[in-house]
Amino acid sequence: MMGPDQFGQLVDRHAAALALYARQWCSAPEDVVQDAFLKLVRQAVPPIKVVPWLFKVVRNGAISMARSEKRRRRYETAAAEELPPWFESAEGTGLDGETVTAALQHLTPEEHETITLHLWGGLTFEEIAQVAECSSSTAHRWYAAGLESLRERLHVYVREQI
Amino acid sequence: MSESKSDLERALQALTPAAPVLDRDRLMFLAGQAGRGPTLPWKVTSGIFAIASVVLAVLLVVRPAPEIQVVTVVVPAPVPKEFPLHKPKDSPSPEQIPVQEPYNRLPDLASYRLQQQIMRFGAESLPSLSDPGALPNEPPVTVDRIGKMSPTTTPMNLFPWQ
C-alpha cells in the first residue's frame, strides 16, 4: 500500500509529464491524470512499474475522452487558435515552448507519443513498447523519425530567428 | 549527426512541461477516500439487512392468529419382536427343590386347648380321677378321652370352674 508521502512525491514528479502526454489526445488532461492517480490508489496490488502503468492508464483515458465527440469538437474549434502552453518558458535552451509545441503537433501521433514518453516521461523504449503496444524497435524507429522531423523544423526556426 | 541529435534531445529535455491545473489537495483527499477500499458491498449488505428488518417488523405486527389444526397421525403399533428365552443356567431341577411341609397342619383343637390349659394352670388344674364332683355315669376325664370327645362338648362343660 502506497503511503501519502510517496503518493504526493509521485504526483509532484510525474503529473506534468502525464498531462503533457494526455494533451496529445484530449482537451482536459488534468481530469485524465487525476483519474489515473486515483486508479493507482484503488489498486489492491500496486503495479510493479508504477510510472509506465500511469502512462498507460493516462493513454487509455485520454483516448476515451477524445472519443466524446462534442467536447472534442468544441475543443478543436474553440482552442484551435489559442493553444494552452504545453511547456514552461526555459531560458538558455535556445528553444521556445510554443515553437516546440507547434512542432510536436506536426508529428505523427506515434512519433509524438514516443518522443513525449522518452524525453519528458523518462521511459525506456521497452517501457514505451508496453505502453504504446508495439515492439521496442518500432518505438525506437518512431522516436528517431520524430526527432529528425523536429530537428528539421526547429533548425529552420532557429535559422529564421538568427 | 548523432551529436546534433543529442543536443536537440538535451534542449528538448530542458523544457519543463507546464504544470497541470491540478488541485493537489483535492487529489490527495480523493486518494484518501479511494484508498479506504470498496464500500459498495458494505452498503449493499447494510441495505439488505435494513429492508429485512422492516419486513420482519411489519410481519410481526400484522401477522394473523395461528389456526389450531388437529392432525391425526396414524402410527402403526410396534410389532414385538420375539424375546429370547433366557434359561438360567444354574436353575435347579424340580427334583432338587426341597418340598416344604404345609403350614396348615394344626393339632386337634381339643388337645391343643388342653395343652394350653396345662401350660397355663398346671397339671393340677386337671380334674382327678377320683373327683367327687364328677358325674358317676361318666368316665373320668383323661387326656386320651379329651382327644376323643365329640365336637359338641365345649371346654366350658369340661371345666365348670371357669
Side-chain angles (χ1 to χ4, degrees):
Chain A
M1 193 68 183
M2 188 177 293
D5 296 337
Q6 192 179 357
F7 181 77
Q9 288 178 359
L10 203 64
V11 171
D12 295 338
R13 190 173 300 172
H14 297 284
L18 288 167
L20 175 67
Y21 183 53
R23 277 195 180 97
Q24 181 179 345
W25 291 284
C26 66
S27 60
E30 291 84 5
D31 296 342
V32 177
V33 172
Q34 179 172 299
D35 289 344
F37 279 116
L38 294 180
K39 280 183 182 175
L40 175 64
V41 173
R42 291 193 193 101
Q43 295 294 311
V45 179
I48 298 171
K49 292 185 175 181
V50 176
V51 178
W53 185 89
L54 279 171
F55 275 100
K56 178 78 175 178
V57 173
V58 165
R59 183 180 195 268
N60 294 335
I63 291 173
S64 297
M65 181 178 282
R67 284 175 183 158
S68 58
E69 270 75 19
K70 287 184 179 180
R71 291 180 68 181
R72 183 70 174 171
R73 285 174 192 166
R74 195 186 311 150
Y75 168 72
E76 284 178 347
T77 53
E81 296 177 356
E82 43 182 80
L83 284 170
W86 285 19
F87 298 98
E88 294 176 355
S89 59
E91 296 177 356
T93 59
L95 292 174
D96 181 33
E98 293 182 4
T99 308
V100 173
T101 300
L104 283 172
Q105 288 179 330
H106 281 90
L107 300 177
T108 64
E110 292 81 8
E111 292 170 356
H112 185 173
E113 184 176 3
T114 49
I115 285 176
T116 304
L117 288 172
H118 186 65
L119 289 181
W120 294 287
L123 268 61
T124 63
F125 287 106
E126 286 77 15
E127 292 171 343
I128 292 171
Q130 291 178 359
V131 173
E133 297 174 352
C134 63
S135 65
S136 59
S137 60
T138 302
H140 191 271
R141 194 174 64 247
W142 286 341
Y143 175 78
L147 202 62
E148 185 63 26
S149 179
L150 279 179
R151 189 186 65 79
E152 289 177 1
R153 285 186 174 278
L154 294 175
H155 198 63
V156 170
Y157 170 75
V158 172
R159 277 184 194 164
E160 287 177 355
Q161 288 288 95
I162 294 171
Chain B
M1 185 166 174
S2 64
E3 263 189 24
S4 63
K5 258 187 174 180
S6 297
D7 291 341
L8 181 61
E9 283 176 316
R10 272 190 236 108
L12 288 171
Q13 276 184 319
L15 288 171
T16 305
V21 188
L22 203 64
D23 191 346
R24 191 178 184 279
D25 296 334
R26 177 171 169 74
L27 176 60
M28 294 297 284
F29 172 73
L30 292 174
Q33 275 192 325
R36 288 186 308 175
T39 57
L40 184 61
W42 291 107
K43 290 180 180 176
V44 171
T45 306
S46 303
I48 289 172
F49 278 112
I51 293 170
S53 302
V54 171
V55 170
L56 289 175
V58 170
L59 288 178
L60 186 66
V61 171
V62 301
R63 68 172 178 173
E67 297 179 0
I68 299 173
Q69 293 181 346
V70 178
V71 179
T72 304
V73 179
V74 178
V75 180
V79 177
K81 295 180 180 178
E82 292 183 358
F83 292 103
L85 294 174
H86 294 288
K87 192 171 183 180
K89 294 178 181 178
D90 298 334
S91 60
S93 61
E95 293 79 13
Q96 295 173 340
I97 299 173
V99 179
Q100 293 182 349
E101 292 185 358
Y103 184 71
N104 54 0
R105 290 186 67 187
L106 296 174
D108 294 337
L109 184 60
S111 59
Y112 173 74
R113 291 202 171 180
L114 181 60
Q115 184 182 0
Q116 292 294 321
Q117 179 78 22
I118 293 169
M119 290 181 67
R120 186 174 180 185
F121 301 104
E124 294 80 13
S125 63
L126 294 175
S128 62
L129 294 176
S130 58
D131 189 2
L135 296 174
N137 295 332
E138 291 182 358
V141 178
T142 61
V143 175
D144 295 336
R145 189 173 166 239
I146 290 172
K148 294 176 182 176
M149 281 181 140
S150 65
T152 55
T153 309
T154 61
M156 291 299 292
N157 295 333
L158 291 175
F159 307 104
W161 59 88
Q162 288 183 339

